[in-house]
Amino acid sequence: MINVQGISKRYGSIKALNDLDFSINERSCFGLVGPNGAGKSTFMKILVGVIDRFDGDIQVFNQSVKKDQLAVKRCIGYVPQDICLEETLTANDNLTYFGRLYGLSGEHLRNRIRVVLEQIGLSERAHDKISKFSGGMKRRLNIGCAILHEPSVIVLDEPTVGIDPQSRHSIFSLISELKELGSTIIYSSHYMEEVEQICDSVGFIDKGKLVEHGTMKQVLDKHRNAAIFVAKDGMVTEELTAYGDVMQTDAGFFINCADPLSTMGIMIEHFRENGITPERLELSQTRLEDIFFQLTGLRLRDNG
Ligand code: ADP
């Protein structure tokens, strides 16, 4: 269990983190979600020991990031947002370098490099200089460097920013595999679909404050608010206000009401009697993206 206790961090007059209190279960995949500048990287850097001046404490399996720095660092693998590799060296040499930093050597290091290259799908490219690698391959290698020492906690700061779909898919598979093998994963992203797909618990962070957290199911259930979606050329809001609160978007109309299923039945009856055939009429379930919007008024669009 990772216990975050009253973490606050200031950069001069900027309050980057404001009294964070939450816990992350062992062997879970926790998604930390928020817009740029929300405080995700700052939190991760405190957890992994890159930032050591802050208020509060984090217990990582009963060891304090403040008092037991070295022990905590040993059990964590940190994948920073910026790729940190030596371009003039091969994948194998980069892994060797990082492995030695973690105190690995000899046959054990060679074995770990073999396993990790397999896990990140780069075995065939082990002896190529990474200056020839795509952005996605470099990101995978960056993850590889952080897992050589078999850490029980893996911290990934926005690992899929600006990469091709194939590498993104391969990073998802790798995260699932690492979780299966028993690691606890902490993953920051502003791609909601991604977090909803691979994380089993989530925390929303906005302006340094944790605005919601829990298991994915708890958060979705708590804020679940099914709406009716209807689209028809020429339809206007006034035709729908009798059914609930109407919100018009480019694609059509969302109607929020207490009992969407029964209301949809009434709408269907009305449409049938009046010869109206909508292009689309469906129940729309709340997504993580909608909940974040409800709580913060912010949209985190997937632009990548
Ligand atoms: P995120 O990772 O969610 O984008 P950050 O943790 O990087 O957010 O930043 C949180 C806030 O702290 C932002 O307002 C950012 O400008 C500020 N900040 C981050 N690092 C520094 C720094 N080294 N010096 C001053 N301000 C910083």
Side-chain angles (χ1 to χ4, degrees):
M1 173 92 100
I2 296 173
N3 257 316
V4 180
Q5 300 157 337
I7 289 287
S8 294
K9 169 73 189 169
R10 276 188 173 282
Y11 296 106
S13 61
I14 298 170
K15 195 150 200 182
L17 294 177
N18 189 354
D19 205 15
L20 300 191
D21 258 307
F22 63 102
S23 56
I24 298 169
N25 285 332
E26 197 174 343
R27 293 168 175 256
S28 68
C29 181
F30 178 84
L32 187 61
V33 176
N36 282 335
K40 304 182 294 297
S41 292
T42 302
F43 169 73
M44 291 185 151
K45 286 177 187 165
I46 289 174
L47 173 63
V48 304
V50 172
I51 293 175
D52 57 6
R53 293 177 63 188
F54 55 90
D55 291 325
D57 200 358
I58 306 177
Q59 300 284 327
V60 180
F61 308 130
N62 294 323
Q63 286 176 314
S64 150
V65 293
K66 267 194 170 151
K67 296 188 203 108
D68 314 299
Q69 270 192 4
L70 211 59
V72 171
K73 277 184 183 164
R74 276 202 192 102
C75 73
I76 291 185
Y78 173 47
V79 185
Q81 197 170 344
D82 297 322
I83 288 171
C84 176
L85 297 167
E86 177 48 57
E87 292 268 332
T88 57
L89 298 179
T90 65
N92 195 75
D93 290 343
N94 269 282
L95 288 165
T96 305
Y97 173 75
F98 278 95
R100 288 198 180 132
L101 285 184
Y102 285 118
L104 310 182
S105 60
E107 192 52 29
H108 179 52
L109 175 56
R110 282 192 290 280
N111 271 335
R112 283 299 301 151
I113 291 176
R114 202 159 39 240
V115 170
V116 165
L117 280 168
E118 192 71 37
Q119 283 178 312
I120 59 176
L122 291 176
S123 300
E124 319 249 291
R125 306 295 300 269
H127 299 290
D128 289 349
K129 279 197 181 151
I130 61 153
S131 48
K132 294 187 198 141
F133 283 13
S134 70
M137 289 159 76
K138 287 180 192 170
R139 275 210 180 268
R140 283 188 270 152
L141 184 58
N142 213 30
I143 298 177
C145 293
I147 59 174
L148 278 166
H149 62 302
E150 299 177 84
S152 45
V153 180
I154 302 166
V155 178
L156 302 115
D157 196 351
E158 303 249 10
T160 57
V161 166
I163 60 169
D164 57 284
Q166 194 195 346
S167 284
R168 185 178 281 209
H169 182 75
S170 123
I171 289 176
F172 289 175
S173 313
L174 175 59
I175 290 171
S176 302
E177 186 186 334
L178 293 168
K179 209 183 104 187
E180 289 293 306
L181 291 170
S183 299
T184 305
I185 317 274
I186 303 175
Y187 180 98
S188 78
S189 181
H190 59 273
Y191 298 134
M192 290 285 189
E193 304 78 6
E194 208 169 281
V195 172
E196 203 170 335
Q197 192 183 332
I198 64 169
C199 297
D200 37 41
S201 57
V202 65
F204 287 154
I205 186 168
D206 182 32
K207 299 187 193 88
K209 280 198 156 188
L210 198 74
V211 290
E212 184 59 283
H213 74 285
T215 66
M216 194 62 75
K217 185 169 172 355
Q218 279 167 347
V219 171
L220 286 170
D221 283 353
K222 181 171 165 193
H223 298 276
R224 196 176 291 287
N225 180 22
I228 300 165
F229 177 77
V230 58
K232 165 137 184 69
D233 247 4
M235 189 169 257
V236 291
T237 304
E238 288 67 32
E239 291 176 61
L240 303 167
T241 45
Y243 301 111
D245 292 332
V246 184
M247 190 178 81
Q248 186 169 3
T249 69
D250 292 344
F253 299 87
F254 285 93
I255 303 160
N256 282 298
C257 52
D259 183 354
L261 203 57
S262 308
T263 306
M264 203 159 134
I266 298 167
M267 285 175 76
I268 291 170
E269 201 51 40
H270 172 78
F271 288 159
R272 195 183 290 135
E273 281 170 7
N274 292 279
I276 300 168
T277 311
E279 282 115 38
R280 284 173 63 191
L281 175 61
E282 58 208 39
L283 276 182
S284 144
Q285 287 298 337
T286 314
R287 312 303 308 254
L288 214 53
E289 171 92 40
D290 305 317
I291 298 173
F292 192 82
F293 181 64
Q294 281 167 29
L295 291 169
T296 66
L298 295 169
R299 284 270 173 217
L300 300 178
R301 284 271 158 235
D302 184 347
N303 297 316

Short mmCIF file of all heavy atoms in Angstrom, two decimals, residues 216-254:
data_model
loop_
_atom_site.label_atom_id
_atom_site.label_comp_id
_atom_site.label_asym_id
_atom_site.label_seq_id
_atom_site.Cartn_x
_atom_site.Cartn_y
_atom_site.Cartn_z
N MET A 216 -11.90 2.68 -10.19
CA MET A 216 -12.58 3.16 -11.40
C MET A 216 -14.09 2.96 -11.25
O MET A 216 -14.88 3.83 -11.58
CB MET A 216 -12.04 2.37 -12.60
CG MET A 216 -12.37 2.96 -13.93
SD MET A 216 -11.65 4.59 -14.14
CE MET A 216 -9.95 4.16 -14.43
N LYS A 217 -14.47 1.80 -10.69
CA LYS A 217 -15.88 1.48 -10.56
C LYS A 217 -16.56 2.46 -9.58
O LYS A 217 -17.63 2.98 -9.86
CB LYS A 217 -16.03 0.03 -10.08
CG LYS A 217 -17.46 -0.43 -10.02
CD LYS A 217 -17.57 -1.91 -9.81
CE LYS A 217 -18.99 -2.39 -9.54
NZ LYS A 217 -20.04 -1.42 -9.42
N GLN A 218 -15.88 2.71 -8.44
CA GLN A 218 -16.46 3.65 -7.45
C GLN A 218 -16.69 5.02 -8.07
O GLN A 218 -17.75 5.61 -7.92
CB GLN A 218 -15.49 3.83 -6.26
CG GLN A 218 -15.54 2.74 -5.23
CD GLN A 218 -14.34 2.83 -4.28
OE1 GLN A 218 -13.38 3.54 -4.52
NE2 GLN A 218 -14.41 2.08 -3.20
N VAL A 219 -15.68 5.52 -8.79
CA VAL A 219 -15.78 6.87 -9.34
C VAL A 219 -16.86 6.91 -10.42
O VAL A 219 -17.70 7.82 -10.44
CB VAL A 219 -14.40 7.34 -9.89
CG1 VAL A 219 -14.52 8.64 -10.66
CG2 VAL A 219 -13.41 7.50 -8.74
N LEU A 220 -16.88 5.90 -11.29
CA LEU A 220 -17.89 5.90 -12.36
C LEU A 220 -19.29 5.74 -11.76
O LEU A 220 -20.22 6.44 -12.16
CB LEU A 220 -17.61 4.77 -13.36
CG LEU A 220 -16.41 5.01 -14.30
CD1 LEU A 220 -16.06 3.75 -15.07
CD2 LEU A 220 -16.69 6.14 -15.29
N ASP A 221 -19.44 4.84 -10.76
CA ASP A 221 -20.76 4.62 -10.15
C ASP A 221 -21.25 5.88 -9.44
O ASP A 221 -22.41 6.25 -9.54
CB ASP A 221 -20.72 3.46 -9.15
CG ASP A 221 -20.73 2.11 -9.85
OD1 ASP A 221 -20.90 2.10 -11.09
OD2 ASP A 221 -20.55 1.08 -9.18
N LYS A 222 -20.32 6.53 -8.72
CA LYS A 222 -20.70 7.70 -7.93
C LYS A 222 -21.24 8.83 -8.82
O LYS A 222 -22.16 9.54 -8.46
CB LYS A 222 -19.48 8.19 -7.14
CG LYS A 222 -19.75 9.38 -6.25
CD LYS A 222 -18.56 9.64 -5.35
CE LYS A 222 -18.65 11.03 -4.72
NZ LYS A 222 -17.37 11.40 -4.09
N HIS A 223 -20.63 8.97 -9.99
CA HIS A 223 -21.00 10.11 -10.84
C HIS A 223 -21.80 9.68 -12.06
O HIS A 223 -22.01 10.48 -12.97
CB HIS A 223 -19.74 10.85 -11.29
CG HIS A 223 -18.97 11.43 -10.15
ND1 HIS A 223 -19.26 12.64 -9.59
CD2 HIS A 223 -17.92 10.93 -9.44
CE1 HIS A 223 -18.42 12.87 -8.60
NE2 HIS A 223 -17.60 11.86 -8.48
N ARG A 224 -22.21 8.41 -12.06
CA ARG A 224 -22.91 7.91 -13.25
C ARG A 224 -24.19 8.70 -13.46
O ARG A 224 -24.94 8.94 -12.53
CB ARG A 224 -23.25 6.42 -13.08
CG ARG A 224 -23.60 5.78 -14.41
CD ARG A 224 -23.83 4.30 -14.24
NE ARG A 224 -22.62 3.54 -13.91
CZ ARG A 224 -21.64 3.27 -14.77
NH1 ARG A 224 -21.71 3.70 -16.00
NH2 ARG A 224 -20.61 2.57 -14.39
N ASN A 225 -24.39 9.11 -14.64
CA ASN A 225 -25.51 10.00 -14.91
C ASN A 225 -25.87 9.80 -16.38
O ASN A 225 -25.53 10.60 -17.23
CB ASN A 225 -25.04 11.44 -14.64
CG ASN A 225 -26.13 12.43 -14.89
OD1 ASN A 225 -27.30 12.08 -14.88
ND2 ASN A 225 -25.74 13.69 -15.15
N ALA A 226 -26.55 8.66 -16.66
CA ALA A 226 -26.86 8.34 -18.05
C ALA A 226 -27.72 9.44 -18.65
O ALA A 226 -28.58 10.00 -17.97
CB ALA A 226 -27.58 7.01 -18.12
N ALA A 227 -27.47 9.76 -19.89
CA ALA A 227 -28.27 10.78 -20.58
C ALA A 227 -28.82 10.15 -21.86
O ALA A 227 -28.40 9.07 -22.27
CB ALA A 227 -27.38 11.97 -20.90
N ILE A 228 -29.78 10.86 -22.45
CA ILE A 228 -30.29 10.40 -23.76
C ILE A 228 -29.61 11.27 -24.81
O ILE A 228 -29.48 12.48 -24.63
CB ILE A 228 -31.81 10.61 -23.83
CG1 ILE A 228 -32.51 9.82 -22.73
CG2 ILE A 228 -32.34 10.24 -25.21
CD1 ILE A 228 -33.94 10.24 -22.50
N PHE A 229 -29.16 10.61 -25.87
CA PHE A 229 -28.58 11.37 -26.97
C PHE A 229 -29.50 11.25 -28.18
O PHE A 229 -29.91 10.14 -28.54
CB PHE A 229 -27.19 10.83 -27.31
CG PHE A 229 -26.58 11.53 -28.48
CD1 PHE A 229 -26.02 12.79 -28.35
CD2 PHE A 229 -26.59 10.94 -29.75
CE1 PHE A 229 -25.48 13.46 -29.44
CE2 PHE A 229 -26.05 11.60 -30.84
CZ PHE A 229 -25.49 12.86 -30.68
N VAL A 230 -29.84 12.37 -28.77
CA VAL A 230 -30.68 12.32 -29.97
C VAL A 230 -30.12 13.28 -31.02
O VAL A 230 -29.66 14.37 -30.68
CB VAL A 230 -32.17 12.62 -29.64
CG1 VAL A 230 -32.34 13.97 -28.97
CG2 VAL A 230 -33.07 12.53 -30.86
N ALA A 231 -30.13 12.81 -32.27
CA ALA A 231 -29.66 13.66 -33.37
C ALA A 231 -30.65 13.59 -34.51
O ALA A 231 -31.08 12.49 -34.89
CB ALA A 231 -28.28 13.20 -33.83
N LYS A 232 -31.07 14.75 -34.98
CA LYS A 232 -31.93 14.80 -36.17
C LYS A 232 -31.75 16.16 -36.83
O LYS A 232 -31.76 17.19 -36.15
CB LYS A 232 -33.39 14.58 -35.77
CG LYS A 232 -34.38 14.96 -36.86
CD LYS A 232 -35.50 13.97 -37.02
CE LYS A 232 -36.42 14.33 -38.18
NZ LYS A 232 -35.74 14.17 -39.49
N ASP A 233 -31.58 16.13 -38.14
CA ASP A 233 -31.43 17.38 -38.89
C ASP A 233 -32.62 18.31 -38.61
O ASP A 233 -33.77 17.85 -38.64
CB ASP A 233 -31.42 17.06 -40.40
CG ASP A 233 -30.07 17.36 -40.99
OD1 ASP A 233 -29.18 17.74 -40.20
OD2 ASP A 233 -29.92 17.21 -42.22
N GLY A 234 -32.35 19.55 -38.31
CA GLY A 234 -33.42 20.54 -38.14
C GLY A 234 -34.06 20.54 -36.76
O GLY A 234 -34.92 21.37 -36.47
N MET A 235 -33.68 19.59 -35.90
CA MET A 235 -34.29 19.54 -34.56
C MET A 235 -33.80 20.73 -33.73
O MET A 235 -32.65 21.16 -33.85
CB MET A 235 -33.89 18.23 -33.89
CG MET A 235 -34.63 17.97 -32.60
SD MET A 235 -34.32 16.26 -32.06
CE MET A 235 -35.85 15.46 -32.55
N VAL A 236 -34.69 21.30 -32.92
CA VAL A 236 -34.28 22.44 -32.07
C VAL A 236 -34.49 22.08 -30.60
O VAL A 236 -35.32 21.22 -30.26
CB VAL A 236 -35.06 23.74 -32.43
CG1 VAL A 236 -34.67 24.26 -33.79
CG2 VAL A 236 -36.56 23.53 -32.31
N THR A 237 -33.76 22.77 -29.73
CA THR A 237 -33.78 22.48 -28.29
C THR A 237 -35.21 22.47 -27.74
O THR A 237 -35.57 21.60 -26.94
CB THR A 237 -32.94 23.55 -27.55
OG1 THR A 237 -31.64 23.55 -28.12
CG2 THR A 237 -32.84 23.26 -26.07
N GLU A 238 -36.03 23.43 -28.18
CA GLU A 238 -37.39 23.58 -27.63
C GLU A 238 -38.22 22.31 -27.81
O GLU A 238 -39.13 22.05 -27.01
CB GLU A 238 -38.12 24.76 -28.31
CG GLU A 238 -37.61 26.14 -27.89
CD GLU A 238 -36.19 26.43 -28.36
OE1 GLU A 238 -35.79 25.94 -29.43
OE2 GLU A 238 -35.47 27.12 -27.62
N GLU A 239 -37.93 21.51 -28.83
CA GLU A 239 -38.71 20.28 -29.04
C GLU A 239 -38.42 19.25 -27.94
O GLU A 239 -39.13 18.25 -27.83
CB GLU A 239 -38.33 19.64 -30.38
CG GLU A 239 -38.79 20.43 -31.59
CD GLU A 239 -38.26 19.76 -32.88
OE1 GLU A 239 -38.63 18.59 -33.12
OE2 GLU A 239 -37.50 20.41 -33.60
N LEU A 240 -37.33 19.44 -27.19
CA LEU A 240 -36.88 18.40 -26.27
C LEU A 240 -36.95 18.79 -24.79
O LEU A 240 -36.78 17.96 -23.91
CB LEU A 240 -35.42 18.01 -26.61
CG LEU A 240 -35.20 17.52 -28.04
CD1 LEU A 240 -33.71 17.46 -28.36
CD2 LEU A 240 -35.82 16.13 -28.23
N THR A 241 -37.19 20.08 -24.51
CA THR A 241 -37.09 20.55 -23.12
C THR A 241 -38.09 19.85 -22.19
O THR A 241 -37.86 19.78 -20.98
CB THR A 241 -37.26 22.08 -23.02
OG1 THR A 241 -38.36 22.45 -23.83
CG2 THR A 241 -36.02 22.82 -23.47
N ALA A 242 -39.18 19.32 -22.74
CA ALA A 242 -40.18 18.63 -21.90
C ALA A 242 -39.60 17.36 -21.29
O ALA A 242 -40.11 16.86 -20.27
CB ALA A 242 -41.40 18.29 -22.74
N TYR A 243 -38.51 16.83 -21.87
CA TYR A 243 -37.98 15.54 -21.40
C TYR A 243 -36.88 15.69 -20.34
O TYR A 243 -36.52 14.73 -19.67
CB TYR A 243 -37.40 14.75 -22.58
CG TYR A 243 -38.44 14.49 -23.66
CD1 TYR A 243 -38.33 15.11 -24.90
CD2 TYR A 243 -39.51 13.64 -23.43
CE1 TYR A 243 -39.28 14.90 -25.88
CE2 TYR A 243 -40.47 13.43 -24.40
CZ TYR A 243 -40.35 14.06 -25.63
OH TYR A 243 -41.28 13.84 -26.58
N GLY A 244 -36.32 16.89 -20.21
CA GLY A 244 -35.24 17.07 -19.22
C GLY A 244 -34.38 18.27 -19.58
O GLY A 244 -34.77 19.10 -20.40
N ASP A 245 -33.18 18.33 -18.97
CA ASP A 245 -32.25 19.43 -19.27
C ASP A 245 -31.53 19.11 -20.57
O ASP A 245 -30.88 18.07 -20.69
CB ASP A 245 -31.20 19.57 -18.16
CG ASP A 245 -31.84 20.04 -16.87
OD1 ASP A 245 -32.87 20.73 -16.95
OD2 ASP A 245 -31.31 19.68 -15.80
N VAL A 246 -31.63 19.99 -21.52
CA VAL A 246 -31.08 19.72 -22.86
C VAL A 246 -29.76 20.47 -23.05
O VAL A 246 -29.65 21.65 -22.71
CB VAL A 246 -32.07 20.17 -23.96
CG1 VAL A 246 -31.54 19.80 -25.34
CG2 VAL A 246 -33.44 19.54 -23.72
N MET A 247 -28.76 19.73 -23.57
CA MET A 247 -27.50 20.38 -23.91
C MET A 247 -27.21 20.10 -25.39
O MET A 247 -27.18 18.93 -25.81
CB MET A 247 -26.37 19.80 -23.05
CG MET A 247 -25.09 20.58 -23.15
SD MET A 247 -23.84 19.90 -22.07
CE MET A 247 -23.24 18.54 -23.03
N GLN A 248 -27.06 21.15 -26.16
CA GLN A 248 -26.82 20.96 -27.60
C GLN A 248 -25.33 20.90 -27.88
O GLN A 248 -24.56 21.69 -27.33
CB GLN A 248 -27.45 22.13 -28.39
CG GLN A 248 -27.36 21.90 -29.88
CD GLN A 248 -28.20 22.89 -30.69
OE1 GLN A 248 -28.81 23.80 -30.14
NE2 GLN A 248 -28.22 22.70 -31.99
N THR A 249 -24.89 19.95 -28.69
CA THR A 249 -23.49 19.87 -29.12
C THR A 249 -23.48 19.84 -30.65
O THR A 249 -24.55 19.79 -31.27
CB THR A 249 -22.79 18.60 -28.60
OG1 THR A 249 -23.36 17.48 -29.30
CG2 THR A 249 -22.95 18.42 -27.11
N ASP A 250 -22.30 19.82 -31.24
CA ASP A 250 -22.21 19.76 -32.70
C ASP A 250 -22.86 18.49 -33.24
O ASP A 250 -23.44 18.48 -34.33
CB ASP A 250 -20.73 19.76 -33.15
CG ASP A 250 -20.09 21.10 -32.87
OD1 ASP A 250 -20.85 22.06 -32.62
OD2 ASP A 250 -18.85 21.17 -32.86
N ALA A 251 -22.77 17.41 -32.46
CA ALA A 251 -23.27 16.12 -32.95
C ALA A 251 -24.77 15.94 -32.75
O ALA A 251 -25.41 15.18 -33.49
CB ALA A 251 -22.52 14.99 -32.24
N GLY A 252 -25.35 16.61 -31.76
CA GLY A 252 -26.76 16.41 -31.48
C GLY A 252 -27.11 16.96 -30.10
O GLY A 252 -26.45 17.88 -29.61
N PHE A 253 -28.12 16.35 -29.45
CA PHE A 253 -28.58 16.87 -28.16
C PHE A 253 -28.42 15.81 -27.08
O PHE A 253 -28.76 14.64 -27.28
CB PHE A 253 -30.08 17.22 -28.25
CG PHE A 253 -30.39 18.27 -29.28
CD1 PHE A 253 -30.63 17.91 -30.60
CD2 PHE A 253 -30.45 19.61 -28.94
CE1 PHE A 253 -30.91 18.86 -31.57
CE2 PHE A 253 -30.73 20.58 -29.89
CZ PHE A 253 -30.96 20.21 -31.21
N PHE A 254 -27.92 16.23 -25.90
CA PHE A 254 -27.90 15.36 -24.73
C PHE A 254 -29.03 15.81 -23.81
O PHE A 254 -29.17 17.01 -23.55
CB PHE A 254 -26.57 15.47 -23.98
CG PHE A 254 -25.45 14.77 -24.67
CD1 PHE A 254 -24.62 15.46 -25.55
CD2 PHE A 254 -25.22 13.41 -24.46
CE1 PHE A 254 -23.59 14.82 -26.21
CE2 PHE A 254 -24.18 12.77 -25.11
CZ PHE A 254 -23.36 13.46 -25.99
#
